[in-house]
Amino acid sequence: MSSLSSLSSSRPDASVRPLPAPSSSAGRPLRLALCLSPLLIAAVWGLTNQSLLYEGVTRLARAEPAWLLAAGGFTCLTWVVAACMRQGAVTDRLPPGLLLASQFAAGAANHALPAGLGAHAVTVRFLRTRGVPLERATSSIALYSVAKSGAKTVVLIVFLLSSSAWRRLGELVPDGVVLIPVAAVLTLVAVATVVVRPLRRPVTGLVRSALTDARTVHARPSRVLALWGGATAMPLVQASVLACTGEALGLGLSWGTVIFAYLAAGTAGGAVPVPGGVAVDAALVITLVAFGSPVAVAAATVIGYRVLTDWIPLLPGALVLSAMIRAKVL
């Protein structure tokens, strides 16, 4: 990752038209708020989750350091994989160092908004500062999301076909009562998009742009490899963080079982749009217990996983995000 000191000196290529700079008097309060908001979110979260944070750190302090080091390595690898996927979703060549820094900073933004919206917002802003039009930047987010969910589904199906552990996951299947409002909301959105003309025009334009960009990206083998290879590797790398944490804490489950538990819990809990992965964590604990892990160890493993993937990188990620905003890289 490029050092933060070089962010200010980094500028788009001469062929790329930069965004118009806001007036200093009007833009300064907004930039200051954006710079301070990640730190405020981190402080509020720490104050409201002191006991949970203390328990996770205490158990990790007694865990095997070699496995924790391996988990930290896989955590760093997730940012590299995310950067590869972001590059694969656009035809424009992006600076690798700044792209990687933006994905590290995007992790802090995800704690403020659910369903990955924080990371997407950071990425859109980064692409805009690199001269990518807003329509194409938004299309790249759609392509990234489709590749990520599609590849994860394929990996989950492979594990379902190769393992009999899925029989123990009946309690994670959502109740029909929960699915009714979700289906109703999706139906209303679809009807509104078709009927209301002010909504139909931008949506159809975005779809056309996304399809055009998807064809262009898939005509380049390097972009296909970066996008779909990264999308396939992402859930496996994230699950490896959990598996290493489980080994450090004595979870007692095989790597294959832990990876399958991660994929199943992510599918079940990911349907609940709350920030911070709270629903996924709850589903993950239930899944690990269903596979035979003691409740206390399963909870400690999930806490340790969050400490490594979210809590420890949160403050550095917020600082990097603030630095990139102040340097007008975002």
Side-chain angles (χ1 to χ4, degrees):
M1 183 185 299
S2 302
S3 61
L4 292 181
S5 60
S6 64
L7 290 178
S8 299
S9 61
S10 177
R11 293 291 184 267
D13 297 336
S15 60
V16 176
R17 186 178 63 184
L19 295 175
S23 62
S24 58
S25 59
R28 188 176 302 136
L30 179 59
R31 289 198 298 270
L32 182 60
L34 291 173
C35 291
L36 295 180
S37 59
L39 299 179
L40 179 61
I41 292 170
V44 171
W45 185 93
L47 292 175
T48 56
N49 295 272
Q50 293 182 48
S51 60
L52 193 61
L53 181 61
Y54 176 78
E55 181 180 358
V57 172
T58 301
R59 288 184 177 271
L60 286 174
R62 299 196 300 263
E64 296 184 22
W67 281 112
L68 292 182
L69 183 63
F74 279 113
T75 299
C76 296
L77 190 58
T78 59
W79 303 317
V80 177
V81 174
C84 289
M85 292 180 63
R86 298 292 188 184
Q87 175 62 88
V90 294
T91 56
D92 309 71
R93 181 172 178 79
L94 304 174
L98 291 180
L99 177 60
L100 183 57
S102 71
Q103 296 310 294
F104 178 65
N110 259 354
H111 287 78
L113 296 173
L117 294 179
H120 292 332
V122 170
T123 301
V124 167
R125 185 59 191 171
F126 175 73
L127 293 176
R128 295 287 289 120
T129 60
R130 305 310 301 180
V132 179
L134 179 59
E135 191 175 56
R136 291 186 50 231
T138 307
S139 299
S140 75
I141 298 300
L143 182 57
Y144 172 95
S145 300
V146 168
K148 185 177 181 180
S149 59
K152 184 176 181 179
T153 301
V154 172
V155 174
L156 177 59
I157 292 174
V158 170
F159 273 86
L160 282 172
L161 296 176
S162 60
S163 173
S164 61
W166 59 270
R167 296 187 179 91
R168 289 181 264 182
L169 297 179
E171 56 190 301
L172 285 178
V173 177
D175 191 357
V177 178
V178 178
L179 295 179
I180 290 175
V182 175
V185 171
L186 293 178
T187 303
L188 288 175
V189 172
V191 171
T193 302
V194 173
V195 175
V196 182
R197 179 170 295 180
L199 290 177
R200 185 169 67 245
R201 184 172 299 174
V203 170
T204 54
L206 178 61
V207 170
R208 284 196 297 268
S209 176
L211 292 177
T212 300
D213 286 355
R215 287 194 295 268
T216 304
V217 165
H218 285 81
R220 304 178 63 174
S222 61
R223 295 296 189 265
V224 173
L225 179 61
L227 177 62
W228 290 98
T232 304
M234 179 62 81
L236 300 177
V237 173
Q238 292 173 328
S240 296
V241 179
L242 181 68
C244 289
T245 307
E247 291 287 350
L249 296 171
L251 184 63
L253 299 178
S254 66
W255 272 55
T257 301
V258 173
I259 292 176
F260 179 55
Y262 176 86
L263 294 170
T267 301
V272 182
V274 295
V278 177
V280 175
D281 291 349
L284 189 52
V285 172
I286 295 174
T287 308
L288 293 175
V289 172
F291 284 154
S293 173
V295 178
V297 181
T301 299
V302 175
I303 290 173
Y305 170 79
R306 284 301 171 192
V307 168
L308 290 170
T309 58
D310 289 345
W311 303 347
I312 291 178
L314 179 58
L315 182 57
L319 293 175
V320 171
L321 178 61
S322 299
M324 296 184 76
I325 292 174
R326 293 178 65 86
K328 299 182 181 180
V329 178
L330 291 179

